Amino acid sequence: MKLRAFALVALGLAACSAGAPPNSPQAQCEEQAENDPAVVAIYQRSNGTYSYVGYQARDELLMAKKQAIVRCMRSKGLAPPGGVQPVQPR
């Protein structure tokens, strides 16, 4: 009985961690985006504060990460060039 419970728990944890494989181009680009100079500058400037200014920094951070991922994917030839520019929050 304990072995069955252990197997179910292990299977559940494996299912929860399922996502993009760590060696996939998407995962590599997401990791690379964390080290993008624009993203690092926003991290340094915001210091993790979540005041009104922090929320603006969060929006800028999300946009900078997304742009860095798209640039990386395009450099690997996996994202189509061009497209519609995303709406930037005010």
Side-chain angles (χ1 to χ4, degrees), residues 65-77:
K65 280 185 182 180
K66 189 172 189 174
Q67 290 172 349
I69 291 171
V70 169
R71 276 194 309 271
C72 175
M73 294 293 281
R74 283 184 183 153
S75 71
K76 293 178 184 260

